[in-house]
Amino acid sequence: MATLIGTMILAIGLPAWAGITYVGLVRARRGDELPPLRPPRRGRTPARKAAWVAGLAYLAGGAVHLYGLSYMPFLQPEDACWFGVGIMDSPDSSSALPVSLVCHGIEVVPWWVNPGLLVLAVTAVTATVTSVVLAWRGSASRGVS
């Protein structure tokens, strides 16, 4: 019971006391007024939102492509078929784009990798072009050269 009470004091009481003490020290240093407020941040513009979408699509596309490349044969090609299909033989064909590894007529790479790469690539390129156009249009309407 004493351990539980001690733990509660350390978990709740000590941080609260430290916060109250810190606020008291800040007020004593500055006077009794509250600290000044930060100026509000500008909202995200449509160009910035499109740039974020593009960046996330590029990042996700790179991750999906690396996942697809993890199925590729690098040093010992027969190991790729062994781990993918269970046949110790060299692959019939392999390709990095579109991601493909065929062993004895069986596609080893998951079916969703290539459509996912296509969707993410289209999204990334579209969002990049949209971001550039919106930024250019926004700067042109403000008269910035």
Side-chain angles (χ1 to χ4, degrees):
M1 187 66 169
T3 306
L4 179 64
I5 293 171
T7 304
M8 296 306 282
I9 289 172
L10 287 174
I12 297 170
L14 196 58
W17 174 76
I20 291 168
T21 304
Y22 177 74
V23 169
L25 289 173
V26 168
R27 283 191 176 173
R29 196 175 303 142
R30 291 188 179 160
D32 207 18
E33 73 276 356
L34 291 173
L37 296 175
R38 287 189 217 159
R41 290 192 306 165
R42 293 186 326 193
R44 284 197 179 143
T45 62
R48 182 169 281 185
K49 289 178 186 176
W52 271 100
V53 169
L56 291 174
Y58 282 120
L59 186 67
V64 170
H65 196 252
L66 282 176
Y67 176 75
L69 290 180
S70 69
Y71 287 91
M72 294 294 107
F74 289 108
L75 295 177
Q76 297 176 336
E78 62 274 359
D79 287 347
C81 288
W82 176 252
F83 290 119
V85 182
I87 301 168
M88 185 65 121
D89 197 10
S90 296
D92 298 340
S93 67
S94 65
S95 171
L97 199 61
V99 181
S100 174
L101 176 67
V102 179
C103 296
H104 284 281
I106 301 170
E107 178 65 47
V108 177
V109 178
W111 65 269
W112 54 267
V113 171
N114 289 316
L117 282 174
L118 180 64
V119 167
L120 289 169
V122 168
T123 302
V125 170
T126 304
T128 301
V129 170
T130 302
S131 174
V132 169
V133 167
L134 288 173
W136 179 75
R137 185 180 297 168
S139 67
S141 67
R142 286 181 291 196
V144 177
S145 299

